[in-house]
Amino acid sequence: MIHMATESTSHAADIEAISQLVATVERSQQNKDPEEFLGLFHPDAIWTTAHGKALIGLDAISEFTRNVLPAASWDGKVTYEVVHVLFVRPDVAAVKVRQRYLAPGEESEGAPLYVISKQADGRWLLTACQNTGVVAD
């Protein structure tokens, strides 16, 4: 179940669209498909990797993604789950995600925060995102 700061049926279509956006992030990562992933970004987006590398604008995000994603050495499954949505405005949402990498004998977790914005055509795009690794206690 997705938690929302304000429960409202008026956001049902947006919640579904946001869930689909995150599902596309998951699919693009599982398939190591940079083009599908890059199609989710606002042109002026900011992306900070789990290692703290700040990427400003789609050109920088694209260069990094095209170099890193297809060559990713992980061999397992990655899952992304929307756990909380806060609508800052009707067209801006902060989305907390649970990210898990599962491979034989190992598992790691991330806690990304995606600030996404709704475009004039109704699409939600990644706009300011921070991918944070979770350190096991």
Side-chain angles (χ1 to χ4, degrees), residues 57-132:
L58 189 55
D59 288 344
I61 296 166
S62 295
E63 180 180 353
F64 177 85
T65 300
R66 288 184 179 120
N67 287 327
V68 172
L69 187 56
S73 61
W74 57 272
D75 188 28
K77 181 177 182 180
V78 61
T79 63
Y80 290 73
E81 173 190 1
V82 175
V83 295
H84 188 83
V85 176
L86 168 65
F87 285 94
V88 179
R89 301 186 330 207
D91 62 339
V92 177
V95 182
K96 194 63 183 168
V97 175
R98 181 177 186 217
Q99 173 191 61
R100 295 175 59 212
Y101 289 99
L102 308 166
E106 66 179 277
E107 179 178 332
S108 64
E109 188 170 333
L113 176 64
Y114 301 156
V115 177
I116 61 175
S117 57
K118 190 174 186 178
Q119 307 307 293
D121 65 4
R123 290 182 311 136
W124 286 91
L125 295 178
L126 299 168
T127 306
C129 306
Q130 170 78 42
N131 192 2
T132 303

Side-chain angles (χ1 to χ4, degrees), residues 4 6-15 87 118:
M4 289 181 36
T6 305
E7 294 295 330
S8 172
T9 56
S10 67
H11 288 298
D14 289 321
I15 291 291
F87 285 94
K118 190 174 186 178

Side-chain angles (χ1 to χ4, degrees), residues 7 14 20 29 40 46 60 76 87 90:
E7 294 295 330
D14 289 321
Q20 289 304 310
Q29 296 296 303
L40 302 173
I46 298 169
F87 285 94

